[in-house]
């Protein structure tokens, strides 16, 4: 049965998910939001007529192991057969500096090496196109096979038998084979030597990248893996960071909460930029900030939508794909995301909070100036206009619109940060204006979002329900953590939204019924709230419990079943990995306290 116990590889152009038996179950070409060349994650089955996968079978398979090469995005799978034979498969996508720039080709490299015994293998390479609707046209030569789709041509270059691959014939593995799936171009040189060079350079790249990270003293391996994964969810060409590499992994079994997450949500920007800043990943952060600023600058009349394509496109019209049955057959499979058309007013604060770094971080090559501030002011104007207007909220409710407290708080944050930026630029009158507007919104939120009967802030103005975003009120500076109202709100969330070790985002019914699984990042928010309340030991204990629910590679999806611990939702989830990073940095002892 399919699971999310998958490794992730990538290079900032494309990515792939690989299962414990070395099957490539998901990979989109020619970029992270493209048509999946491999899509068996959403269509299980390897029969004669099935396709959409890349499998290296070990005949009479008995056992498998899988690991990353330390501090890299290079995945190694070891397969053992029943007769004592053993092979090792190394999967990666090349990424390294060449000719003064990053070389990140449209290429997947698989190296197969005999470790011992007389292993017999079979290579089954069956790409798909048009979201699993058909197989590409194939042509071949003496050392390559071409796969021709309506929009793309990829070429497999190999030193393995072309006949064995085309006819999927088992054969004995003598030494080492290379499979290079990439652009329809001739490989310059022996494919094995090219692969060895790519492997060495890619290993060096990732180790140098991780060497420059600022990591906490504790949980170093966990943070490094999360940071690499965050980097793999980055589309280098524009700087966009996707929410996840997949589409339509359901949030819970048979829930139909199946969404396409291969896009960039503006609300993620505040948390992602904070994580990158704390890690010292300034180039990635700067590139991402450029994407955010460009999207904001291009917003018509200052109006932002919640989510954009990785190329900045606005229209993400949502469609259901009939050709893929879905994860474990739990459709529908969707491409596009209709949330782009929703009103979610928190995006104004998210964009401005992220952009604030441009004005204050002296490491960045292009500091913010008055011209950029004026562009951000148009977003602030919208925040003032919309803060008390109904919207779908950060949980993207599709069937109802209300005035959400978190949206209003983020609109306040937009004004608050604009005042800080204006001060930084020496614009005293502008600073006073934005400060006054923020104070007015702040007073209104305190009056309308506080429920005296519940002794808590609530999720909507005049409402009585809770949601996990209220944990962030101190995080964004709206209220002090030692304010009795915040303390009481955290206590209310503990009482109502905490199920076992996990915090649900909310518990009331929505368009699809009551949520069954916990939204993972909310539990990291709760751990951070415990630290802010001076309950650090409790926060550390919770954090250790959360780490235990990661898969074998230290990776997290979007949701988790609080009873079984099984992960659900799109994978690997940027929000969850960023939550891990931010919590680890807050909870760890300092380096100067460690010895």
């Amino acid at each position: 049965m399919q699971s999310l116990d998958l490794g992730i590889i990538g290079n900032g152009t494309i990515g792939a998910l690989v299962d414990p038996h070395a099957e490539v179950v998901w990979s989109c070409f020619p970029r992270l939001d493209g048509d999946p060349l491999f899509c068996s994650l959403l269509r299980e089955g390897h029969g004669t007529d099935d396709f959409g996968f890349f499998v290296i079978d070990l005949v009479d398979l008995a056992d498998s192991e899988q690991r990353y090469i330390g501090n890299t995005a290079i995945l190694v799978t070891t397969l053992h057969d029943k007769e004592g034979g053993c092979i090792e498969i190394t999967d990666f996508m090349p990424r390294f500096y060449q000719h003064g720039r990053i070389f990140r080709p449209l290429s997947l490299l698989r190296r197969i090496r005999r470790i011992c015994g007389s292993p017999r293998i079979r290579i089954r390479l069956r790409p798909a196109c048009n979201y699993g609707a058909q197989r590409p046209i194939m042509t071949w030569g003496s050392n390559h096979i071409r796969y021709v789709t309506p929009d793309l041509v990829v070429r497999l270059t190999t030193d393995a038998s072309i006949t064995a691959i085309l006819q999927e014939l088992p054969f004995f593995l003598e030494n080492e084979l290379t499979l290079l799936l990439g652009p329809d171009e001739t490989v310059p040189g022996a494919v094995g030597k090219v692969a060895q060079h790519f492997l060495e350079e890619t290993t060096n790249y990732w180790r140098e990248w991780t060497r420059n990270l600022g990591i906490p003293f504790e949980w170093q391996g966990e943070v490094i893996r999360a940071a690499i994964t965050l980097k793999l969810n980055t589309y280098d060409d524009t700087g966009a960071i996707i929410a996840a590499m997949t589409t339509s992994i359901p949030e819970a079994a048979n829930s139909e909460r199946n969404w396409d997450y291969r896009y960039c949500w503006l609300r993620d920007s505040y948390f992602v930029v904070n994580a990158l800043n704390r890690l010292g990943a300034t180039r990635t952060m700067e590139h991402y900030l450029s994407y955010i600023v460009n999207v904001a600058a291009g917003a018509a009349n200052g109006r932002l939508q919640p989510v954009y394509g990785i190329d900045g496109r606005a229209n993400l019209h949502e469609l259901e794909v009939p050709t893929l049955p879905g994860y474990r057959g739990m459709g529908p499979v969707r491409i596009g995301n209709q949330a782009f058309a929703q009103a979610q007013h928190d995006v104004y604060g998210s964009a401005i909070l992220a952009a604030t770094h441009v004005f204050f971080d002296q490491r960045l090559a292009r500091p913010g100036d008055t011209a950029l501030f004026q562009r951000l002011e148009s977003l602030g104007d919208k925040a003032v206009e919309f803060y008390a207007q109904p919207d779908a909220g950060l949980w993207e409710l599709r069937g109802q619109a209300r005035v959400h407290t978190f949206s209003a708080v983020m609109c306040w944050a937009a004004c608050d940060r604009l005042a800080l930026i204006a001060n930084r630029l020496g614009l005293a009158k502008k600073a006073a204006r934005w400060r006054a507007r923020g104070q007015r919104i702040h007073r209104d939120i305190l009056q309308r979002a506080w429920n005296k009967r519940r002794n808590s802030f609530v999720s909507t103005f005049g409402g009585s329900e809770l949601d996990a975003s209220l944990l962030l009120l101190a995080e964004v500076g709206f209220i002090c953590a030692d304010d009795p109202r915040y303390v009481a709100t955290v206590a209310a969330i503990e009482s109502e939204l905490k199920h076992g070790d996990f915090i649900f985002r909310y518990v009331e019914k929505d368009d699809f019924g009551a949520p069954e699984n916990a939204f993972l990042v909310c539990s990291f928010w709760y751990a951070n709230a415990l630290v802010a309340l001076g309950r650090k030991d409790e926060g550390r204990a919770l954090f250790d419990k959360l780490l235990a629910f990661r898969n074998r590679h230290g990776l997290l999806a979007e949701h988790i079943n609080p009873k079984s611990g099984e992960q659900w939702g799109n994978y690997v989830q940027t929000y969850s990995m960023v939550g891990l990073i931010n919590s680890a940095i807050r909870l760890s002892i300092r380096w100067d306290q460690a010895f």
Side-chain angles (χ1 to χ4, degrees), residues 160-176:
S161 163
I162 294 297
T163 300
I165 296 174
L166 289 171
Q167 299 183 21
E168 299 183 354
L169 301 173
F171 61 93
F172 287 101
L173 180 63
E174 300 296 337
N175 292 302
E176 185 174 282

Side-chain angles (χ1 to χ4, degrees), residues 4 21 54 109 125 131 137 164 187 190 252 276 414 416 430 438 536 543 562 588:
L4 297 180
H21 294 158
F54 192 172
L109 266 156
L125 173 52
Y131 282 87
I137 297 169
V187 174
L276 292 172
D416 179 76
K430 292 276 190 178
K536 190 170 183 177
F543 184 69
S588 174

Side-chain angles (χ1 to χ4, degrees), residues 188-202:
V191 67
K193 290 185 178 179
V194 170
Q196 181 62 32
H197 170 67
F198 283 4
L199 178 62
E200 291 172 356
E201 291 297 317
T202 301

